[in-house]
Amino acid sequence: MSLFLKETRVILELAVADKNGVLSQLAEVLAADMTGVRSKRVLEILWEREKLGSTGIGQGIAIPHGRVPGLSVPMAALARSRNGVEFMALDGQPVHLVMALLLPTEASEAHLQILADMFRLLRQPNSRRRLMLAMDRESLYQAAVLDQDGL
């Protein structure tokens, strides 16, 4: 995970209350680390996937993702909302942890494994608890990276 998630792409507390706001904030932090791709385009890519069905998978988790032409390596961003945001999750509950993933257009099996690993990390109650209890951005990042790299 440390290869794809950078501390600069961790949002300790979302300042929004809905899906569009969450995706917009994530698009901004992801685009900031990309050359020649604006946040508006990243937002469009994330919404393209959301139109197929919510990536709010339940238990307070969402994993929005999409493929970006010209991207050479996967990129991830993590955001947390202690209050929860409306994300149209499958269980109808608010989302507290959002892990966005951008993949190259030609995503390999290894790239898809990253998505599966993120899913596993966020579904583990102990991992979610550590992520929710993190007091600052660095500890939130470390909780995500250490748990994921330990899978």
Side-chain angles (χ1 to χ4, degrees), residues 60-62 78-81 95-99 122 128 131-132:
I61 302 162
L78 172 64
R80 179 180 73 188
S81 171
V95 166
H96 297 276
L97 295 167
V98 184
M99 181 81 77
L122 294 174
R128 283 198 316 273
L131 293 167
M132 291 303 294

Side-chain angles (χ1 to χ4, degrees), residues 24-39:
S24 293
Q25 278 195 279
L26 289 166
E28 286 178 23
V29 298
L30 286 161
D33 282 348
M34 300 171 80
T35 303
V37 180
R38 295 176 30 182
S39 62

Side-chain angles (χ1 to χ4, degrees), residues 58-108:
Q59 297 182 338
I61 302 162
I63 307 177
H65 53 281
R67 296 176 192 251
V68 180
L71 189 66
S72 58
V73 295
M75 294 178 65
L78 172 64
R80 179 180 73 188
S81 171
R82 289 196 174 155
N83 292 330
V85 294
E86 174 52 49
F87 208 88
M88 295 181 275
L90 299 177
D91 63 1
Q93 297 300 308
V95 166
H96 297 276
L97 295 167
V98 184
M99 181 81 77
L101 179 65
L102 297 180
L103 297 166
T105 303
E106 301 297 321
S108 68

Side-chain angles (χ1 to χ4, degrees), residues 3 12 42 50 53 61 65-66 75 94 123 128-129 137 140:
L3 297 175
L12 181 62
V42 175
E50 289 300 317
I61 302 162
H65 53 281
M75 294 178 65
R123 296 287 286 199
R128 283 198 316 273
R129 188 172 16 266
R137 184 166 74 168
L140 182 56

